[in-house]
Amino acid sequence: MQRTQVAIIGAGPSGLMLGQLLHRHGIDSVVIERQSREYVEARIRAGLLEQGTVDLLHEAGVAARLEREKLVHDGIELAFDGRLHRVDFKALAHETVTIYGQTELQKDLGDARVASGAPIHHGAGEVAIHGFDGGRPRVSWLQDGVRQELECDFIAGCDGFHGVCRASVPSAEIQHHERVYPFGWLGILAEVPPVADELIYANHQRGFALCSMRSRTRSRYYLQCTLADRVEDWSDERFWEELAIRLPAERARGLVTGPSIEKSIAPLRSFVAEPMRFGRLFLVGDAAHIVPPTGAKGLNLAAADVRVLYRALVEFYRGGGETLLDEYSGRALRRVWKATRFSWWFTTLMHRFDDDAFSHKLQLAELDYLAGSRAAATALAENYVGLPFD
Ligand code: RFL
Ligand code: PHB
C-alpha cells in the first residue's frame, strides 16, 4: 500500500496549485488525474486572473513566465444601447486584473510538478475514495489496468464539476444550490490582434457578446447562443458577422477577423455545494461550485479555496491543530457566495433572456445608472477585481 499525507484528486489548476504550495512547505502529496497530461493542457478555458490569484502563484513559485508574458488591464468597457462606457478599476478599486491563459498556467503548474519530483498519475481509471468519514482515508484507482491503493491523512477533491469526490458524499450530508441559465456561450479563439486594449462586455438586443484576448496577437471572443445551437451551425463567417453586429460601430470598425483555431459552446450555470468539508475530504474549486463565466470568477474562486486549505494544512502539520481545517468550509463559502452573487448579477445584467421588453429596458436603465454613478461603478469594479482573499 502506498502512503502520502494529502491525496489530491484532479490535476486541473486547483489540484496542481495545492500540490505545489504543499510541496514548498514540505508536505507530501500524490496527484491522481483521470486524463492524460496532453489532454489537460489542451483545454481552453479561463483567461483572467485577479491579483489575489497572481499573488498565490508567486507564493507557489510558478509565476516566472506569467510575469514575462502577462497583460495587465486597468479596466473594462461596457457596450450598450450603441454606447461605450469604460469602468476604470484602477481609479475605482485601486487594483488591476491580469490576462494570462489557463492553458499557459496549466503548463507552468505541470512543469513545476514534474520538477518537484512529487508523484502525479495521469490516465487513472475508476478512481474511488474511501473512509474519509473516519481516520483512515484511502484512494483506489486503475493504472494501466493494475489496481492501485493509496493511504493518506486527507483527500483534496480537486476533480471539477463532474468529478468523483462530491458524488461520493452521502446525499443526506450535502446540499446543492443551482441555477441553470437558458442560454450558452459560443467561444472562438483566433490568431488576430484584439479589437481593443481592454475587454468589452456588450449588452445587445440580439444577445451578449464579449471581446477578450490571450495576448496582443491572439483573441478570444464569445457570443451568447441558444442551448439548441451547435458548433457546426456557426461558420467563422457567421460568427464574425454576428459579433460585429453586437458591438458599437466604433469598435466593430476595428475588428480584425481570421480563421478560428478553436470553437466551442459552454452552457451557463451557478452551482454551490455546502458544506465543502466532510470529515477528511475537502472539496476545492469547480468540484464544489460553478459560476457562469460572465465575471471571470471560476478559476479565481478555485485559487481562493486553495489558499485557505493549504494554509490550514500547513498549520496542522506544524502541530497547530485542526482549528483552521475546521474553518475551511465556512471561510471558503463566504467568498464563494459573494462571487456567485456577482456572477449571477453580471450575467443577468448583460444577457438577453427572452422577448420581454420590460426586462431589457431595466437592463439599459441599470447600465445607464452604472455609467453615471461612481458608487454603482465602484461596486462593479470591487467585485470584478476580486474581493479580499480572506
Ligand atoms: P478543473 O479545471 O475542471 O479540473 C478538474 C480536474 O479533475 C479531473 N477529474 C478527475 N480526476 C480523477 N478522477 C476523476 N474521477 C476525475 N474527474 C475529473 C479532470 O480531468 C480535471 O483535470 O477544475 P479546477 O481545478 O477546480 O479549476 C477550475 C477552473 O478550471 C474553472 O473554474 C475555470 O476554467 C472557469 N472559467 C473561468 N474562470 C476564471 O476565473 N476566469 C475566466 O476568464 C474563466 N473563463 C471558464 C472560463 C470556464 C469556461 N468553461 C468552458 C467551463 C471560460 C469558459 C468557456
Ligand atoms: C476569457 O478570456 O476567456 C474570459 C474573460 C473574461 C470573462 C470570461 C472569459 O468574463
Side-chain angles (χ1 to χ4, degrees), residues 59-81:
E59 223 169 303
V62 292
R65 189 161 72 100
L66 179 147
E67 285 303 330
R68 288 197 304 275
E69 298 182 8
K70 71 180 178 181
L71 300 176
V72 174
H73 286 187
D74 294 350
I76 54 169
E77 289 183 316
L78 298 176
F80 59 98
D81 213 11

Side-chain angles (χ1 to χ4, degrees), residues 32-238:
I32 300 151
E33 162 66 48
R34 179 163 65 178
Q35 306 286 358
S36 67
R37 182 169 176 191
E38 296 69 41
Y39 181 95
V40 169
E41 290 183 0
R43 289 189 299 223
I44 294 165
R45 287 181 168 181
L48 193 137
L49 307 179
E50 297 173 3
Q51 190 55 42
T53 303
V54 172
D55 293 344
L56 190 71
L57 294 168
H58 277 281
E59 223 169 303
V62 292
R65 189 161 72 100
L66 179 147
E67 285 303 330
R68 288 197 304 275
E69 298 182 8
K70 71 180 178 181
L71 300 176
V72 174
H73 286 187
D74 294 350
I76 54 169
E77 289 183 316
L78 298 176
F80 59 98
D81 213 11
R83 294 165 63 187
L84 203 51
H85 177 77
R86 181 164 185 268
V87 181
D88 187 335
F89 298 152
K90 220 172 169 181
L92 296 166
H94 315 291
E95 194 74 271
T96 58
V97 291
T98 295
I99 297 288
Y100 190 70
Q102 184 171 328
T103 321
E104 305 312 311
L105 179 59
Q106 186 77 48
K107 285 183 199 142
D108 297 344
L109 287 164
D111 288 346
R113 184 75 191 179
V114 171
S116 74
I120 176 161
H121 303 287
H122 283 99
E126 296 182 22
V127 177
I129 60 175
H130 317 272
F132 53 84
D133 48 348
R136 302 192 51 178
R138 272 183 311 118
V139 182
S140 62
W141 73 99
L142 285 183
Q143 198 76 52
D144 301 319
V146 181
R147 190 176 159 86
Q148 310 284 322
E149 290 233 25
L150 172 70
E151 226 176 52
C152 54
D153 300 329
F154 300 102
I155 298 171
C158 303
D159 51 350
F161 184 64
H162 300 287
V164 68
C165 290
R166 191 183 71 250
S168 303
V169 175
S171 56
E173 291 174 31
I174 192 165
Q175 261 190 302
H176 297 158
H177 307 276
E178 186 169 37
R179 170 142 317 177
V180 176
Y181 301 87
F183 41 73
W185 276 22
L186 167 68
I188 71 162
L189 192 64
E191 208 59 45
V192 293
V195 65
D197 292 338
E198 295 176 334
L199 271 53
I200 306 172
Y201 288 80
N203 173 308
H204 192 275
Q205 219 149 5
R206 293 169 67 98
F208 171 74
L210 169 60
C211 304
S212 183
M213 63 188 77
R214 290 292 174 272
S215 70
R216 290 205 169 79
T217 56
R218 185 172 278 204
S219 299
R220 178 77 166 149
Y221 293 119
Y222 298 96
L223 289 177
Q224 176 182 351
C225 62
T226 73
L227 291 172
D229 273 311
R230 292 168 313 154
V231 169
E232 304 79 67
D233 303 333
W234 286 86
S235 64
D236 289 355
E237 206 181 12
R238 179 174 173 211

